[in-house]
Structures are given as C-alpha cells and as structure tokens.
Amino acid sequence: MKQGNITRRELLKFLGAAGAVSAAGSLGIAGCSRNGAPAGRVIVIGGGFGGATAAKYIKLFNPDIQVALIEPAERFYTCPFSNLYLGGLRDMQLIGHGYEELKQRYQVEVIHTLAEDVDGSAKTVRLADGRVLGYDKLVLSPGIDIRWDALEGYDQAAAEIAPHAWKAGPQTKLLRDRLEAMEDGGTFILSAPANPFRCPPGPYERVSLIAHYFKQHKPKSKILLLDAKDAFSKQGLFMEGWKAVYGDMIEWVGLSDDGRVVRVDAQAGEVETEFGTLHKADAMNIVPPQKAGFIAVRAGVIDTTGWAPVKPQTFESKMVSDIYVVGDASVAAPMPKSGFCANNQAKVVAAAIVADLDGREPLEARWTNTCYSLISPDYGISVAGVYGVEDGHIVETAGGLSPLGAPADFRQREARYAVNWYNAICQDTWGTSDLPLALG
Amino acid sequence: MDRHLSLALTLGGLLLWGTVATADTDEISTRQTSLLAASCATCHGTQGRMSGAVPPLAGRSYDVLRQQLLAFQSGEASHATVMDRVVANYSEAELEAIARYFAAIE
Ligand SMILES: Cc1cc2nc3c(=O)[nH]c(=O)nc-3n(C[C@H](O)[C@H](O)[C@H](O)COP(=O)(O)OP(=O)(O)OC[C@H]3O[C@@H](n4cnc5c(N)ncnc54)[C@H](O)[C@@H]3O)c2cc1C
C-alpha cells in the first residue's frame, strides 16, 4: 500500500503510539522499552502552552521516554480569551484547563508543586516539597514574571488595586470587578509596555473588548491607551476596527506623544507619563515590563535582557546544555511571545529531544504562528507567520495580515475562526474537548 | 489497525521510519512529515481530528486534501481567510506529504 514515499503502514505505526501509551500504562510498563530501561527521562517545568504541549508531544513521538511535568496549579487559566471574559463574552470556567489527558492518556507524571531550583551540571531539579529529581533533558516553559522594579509605584500591593491581569486568574477577576464598579462616563486607562512583552496584540484586543462592554453598559465612558511605543501589532487593522465599531471611544497615545507611563499611583488612581503629564482614571490596567519566569534565572539560562537565548534549530539553551527553553521565556524573535508560538516551539523541542535521546540529528525546524484578535464578537482580525532557520537565524518565510478594508462577512468569519482556533489549541495542549463555538 | 498489532509494533521498539529527507530528492521522512503536520494541530486539533468551524482533516481523501492545499497556495480558494497565508511557502512535496499524513489517520 505504498503512497509515494511514506507507507500507510508506517504512518499507522506512528499514529498507533498514542493508543499504545495507555495500553502500555495499564500493563504497568509506561515509560519503559521492552527490556525495562526507560528511553530517557525528561522533566518539563510549567504546564502552560509550551510545557503541556512539550510533555504531550514527547510522549506522542516516543512513548518509551519518561516524562514528568511540574506545575503548581491543578487548573491552568489561559490569557488567550481572558479578554473575552473581561468583555463579558466568556465565563472564567471556560478558560480553565486541567491535566487529565496528560495523566491518563499519555502517562505523563504531573507533579503539582513549584520547581524551586535547577542544577544544570548535576542535571537535577529541586521541588518545593523538597524532592530532588534527575533528568536527561529539561524543558523550561515558565512564562513571564513581572518586573516589579521597572515602573515607579507599581509593586505587588499596587497590583491589588490597579491590576495587570497579564497572568490569567484572580488578577483578571479583579480587573473585571473594577470595570463593573466604574460609573458610566468614567475613564479607563490601560498602560502598555515597550517591546518585547507577552502577546504584542494583547493590550489592543483588551481595550477593544472592554469598549464592547462599555458600549453595551456604559456608553459615555472613555478609554485612554497610554503606550511606551510608537507602533504596535496589527495597528492599521485595530485603528480601522476601533473607528468602525466604537467611533471615538478609544484614544491611543504613542511614545512620541507622551504615551509612556513612568509612575503609577494606584491609591490615587493616577499615572504620570514621561513628559510630566498626569492622567486620572476611574479604572486602571497597568501592563508592566516583564522578564522570563524566575526558574530560568535559577537554571542560569538568561542573559542581561532577562530572557533566555536559545539555539534556533532546537531551542536548546545557548548557555546550559540539555536545557531547552520554549515559550515567552525564550528569545525567539521574530516569533512573537504567543501561546501559538509556545505550542509550536514545544513540538520542535519534543522532536529534537526524542531525536537526541535516540542518537539522531534534529529534524528541520518549522514553526507557525497566528495571533487572532477580536475587536468585537463578530469582528476578528489576524496576523500569521511561518518561520524557519536560515544561516543560523530564525526568519519569517511567509505570513501576513488580514486585509484592510475587508467586508463585514470576512471579519465575521475570522471572528468565528478565532474561537475555532482557541478550541483547537486548548484541545491540542490540554486535551479539553467540547468547548463552544458560540460567544456570549 | 488492530490495537494489539499497533501495541506490538510500538513496543517492538524498532519503528521502520520512511525515507530520510535529502536535499536533492525532495523526499520527506515520516518523522519530518509528522512534525510539519503537528503545526496544523494548533488550529485543527491533535492529528487534525477536531470538528468545529472547519471539518476534521483526519481520514479525508488524499486527493481532496492535496487539491485543497494547492488551491489555498495558488489563491484559487477565494473563500480562504488564513490558509493562503499559512501554506504560502510550503513546497508541493511537503503539502503532498502532509495530505498523505492526514489521509492515513483512522
Ligand atoms: C491578555 C492576553 C491575551 C493573549 N492572547 C493570546 C492569543 O490570542 N493568542 C496567543 O497565541 N497568545 C496569546 N497570549 C499570550 C500567551 O498567553 C503566552 O504567550 C503563553 O501563555 C506563553 O506560554 P508559556 O508556556 O511560555 O507560558 P504560560 O502559558 O504562562 O505557562 C507557564 C506556566 O509555568 C508555570 N511555572 C512558572 N514557574 C514555575 C516553576 N518554577 N515551577 C513550576 N511551574 C512553573 C506557571 O504556573 C504557568 O502555568 C495572550 C496573553 C495575554 C496576557
């Protein structure tokens, strides 16, 4: 049954691997080859977009490898679609995902605790419960930490009054409470950071969906977006959409026009920009500067930028061997810090680890990204990119933006495909099924 | 495929992978194809099995998948919102290998 150069039988063998995992597990030999020795031990730190995907795909590619995933939370709340929650379009419960598929179907050992330290020469990880685990390969996907020292007046206590909501969960709820408490006719301020940061289109989608909420419930309100840069992701498309859907409700002030916030007074509900202008807000969202999660620092894989440089082909750290860094914590430009990229990087890392443990050369790396943003429930836009490695650097080889001036039905279809994308990535990453296609 | 056979083959450890990619032959290994196809899963579900706003890719006919992918690439699929941008730079051999991968599922 030869079809070109891949036989159907070979593919079925590959695809049979997932089924075989659970079968093997029930025989009590998960993670071992037939002679009883595991094909290698991998630890993954972080059960978000990058980490959960890496754990799953290592098992899909080679079920004989033992995989342990370290993640403190039993339920992971996604930043993607947290803006829909803020806009009143999705329940919090629908953006939470668990680890059942990884545990049951793929036999990943999920350990719900924090990894406190990594010793890259002894190849061990120390957990908060005191255990020390050894690894052959370590994957780090810890996401971001907030740089609490970067913005005057903005510390952890201030974030309890003026939330960042840049990690989904209680912070997101707090921001929603602030929006609900605001009077009609009030001013909402969002402060956006300079590059690089998690999710380049995130702040702009957020003000869009907050505008959607205001338009329905507090139509006299204003949104002021103070920005530490002069250009932003999908700018033309966002501006076109804001005008069409919200008129003048959203005002964007870029860096050159004194948009950069330099001081926050959360108690007084006030921010100060670079040239000394004071802005009063009735509700505030400060998106502060960020850095790689602290465990990357402990592992010794970050440089002076606060992020982890990696070898493009495999995403192995340039600084410590056998440690791979994926997702927001890595330096992967021109790929953005997105959940989509974290998911795709994790698959390339999974393949690289499986190949290396097997004594083979890595496969050719290729990544895809698409950042969908919703301007309203029936107005979606996107930017896509396909990336590869040329001359030792990651380059964008294809992609582009949704067209400007597209008809309403195109925007409507992209909004529907945005939801379809969310459902697909959550299925692919955590195994969540039956998420609704409808909004509201 | 029968579950026992699949289990035996996998636990046998010696997976006979397809031809190895070489620059001059355009041949794409099964492993390389699996990795390329894994990027589609982010919008179509693991192994292209998700059914949502787009029908599942898994188990569709090779000819139909191939024709659709080539039409996205050439711009003939005028209803496309994003697939044209996604596949713009894949080679024909890659698209065919990916179509074969999804056609072989189930
Ligand atoms: C408002 C907003 C909207 C967004 N929208 C989109 C979108 O539409 N599309 C898109 O692609 N991306 C979007 N993103 C970006 C996306 O959220 C991130 O790029 C993605 O989460 C990065 O994945 P990651 O694996 O690097 O980190 P995360 O997904 O944050 O996962 C990190 C995990 O590691 C765990 N962890 C950290 N340290 C440790 C430790 N020491 N021990 C154990 N566990 C640890 C954390 O608990 C966390 O669960 C959005 C982001 C925001 C803020």
Side-chain angles (χ1 to χ4, degrees), chain A residues 83-347:
Chain A
N83 289 335
L84 277 75
Y85 163 79
L86 291 172
L89 295 163
R90 234 183 211 210
D91 287 346
M92 195 61 154
Q93 161 209 335
L94 285 176
I95 63 169
H97 307 279
Y99 296 92
E100 287 318 303
E101 187 192 54
L102 283 176
K103 291 182 203 168
Q104 308 299 332
R105 178 153 189 204
Y106 294 100
Q107 309 292 308
V108 172
E109 187 188 351
V110 182
I111 304 173
H112 289 298
T113 185
L114 196 70
E116 280 188 346
D117 207 356
V118 172
D119 183 336
S121 38
K123 297 182 51 168
T124 55
V125 173
R126 183 162 55 76
L127 306 182
D129 62 15
R131 271 189 286 171
V132 175
L133 306 178
Y135 63 81
D136 298 314
K137 300 281 185 186
L138 176 65
V139 180
L140 298 181
S141 194
I144 56 159
D145 275 351
I146 305 294
R147 287 176 50 197
W148 294 113
D149 56 348
L151 194 52
E152 189 187 333
Y154 199 67
D155 55 14
Q156 268 143 303
E160 293 306 315
I161 303 166
H164 55 78
W166 223 239
K167 295 186 183 189
Q171 276 279 307
T172 322
K173 285 203 169 122
L174 182 61
L175 180 54
R176 175 72 194 177
D177 292 346
R178 292 284 182 273
L179 296 170
E180 281 176 4
M182 204 184 95
E183 304 272 322
D184 187 14
T187 299
F188 167 72
I189 291 182
L190 185 147
S191 157
N195 294 321
F197 67 104
R198 159 175 283 185
C199 196
Y204 314 96
E205 181 190 61
R206 179 166 287 177
V207 296
S208 307
L209 295 181
I210 289 175
H212 169 76
Y213 166 69
F214 285 169
K215 191 177 166 179
Q216 286 185 314
H217 300 282
K218 294 161 190 186
K220 296 200 288 275
S221 307
K222 292 288 296 175
I223 296 177
L224 181 61
L225 207 174
L226 297 169
D227 209 328
K229 51 197 174 300
D230 270 328
F232 62 87
S233 173
K234 291 181 272 194
Q235 186 164 355
L237 286 163
F238 272 115
M239 297 259 182
E240 181 185 73
W242 289 345
K243 186 108 221 128
V245 184
Y246 304 114
D248 296 326
M249 187 185 274
I250 301 169
E251 183 190 354
W252 174 74
V253 182
L255 174 69
S256 310
D257 294 321
D258 195 22
R260 188 166 81 92
V261 169
V262 294
R263 189 177 62 82
V264 177
D265 187 337
Q267 288 287 359
E270 195 174 77
V271 295
E272 183 178 344
T273 47
E274 199 171 6
F275 308 152
T277 316
L278 291 176
H279 297 273
K280 270 299 247 180
D282 301 291
M284 267 198 312
N285 177 196
I286 306 296
V287 182
Q290 302 145 29
K291 59 186 178 183
F294 79 94
I295 197 71
V297 182
R298 307 295 319 200
V301 296
I302 66 149
D303 65 15
T304 52
T305 64
W307 307 101
V310 292
K311 299 174 189 166
Q313 184 77 23
T314 57
F315 275 56
E316 186 177 12
S317 163
K318 282 185 176 168
M319 299 164 81
V320 185
S321 52
D322 296 318
I323 300 183
Y324 299 71
V325 190
V326 296
D328 291 355
S330 67
V331 179
M335 275 187 264
K337 295 190 187 302
S338 74
F340 201 123
C341 282
N343 167 285
N344 266 236
Q345 290 159 4
K347 291 166 181 171

Side-chain angles (χ1 to χ4, degrees), chain A residues 347 366 382 413 420 427-428, chain B residues 38 42 46 53 79 85 94:
Chain A
K347 291 166 181 171
R366 198 90 60 85
S382 65
R413 276 188 289 145
N420 193 66
Q427 185 282 320
D428 192 35
Chain B
T42 319
T46 305
H79 65 286
R85 291 179 267 159
E94 285 170 338

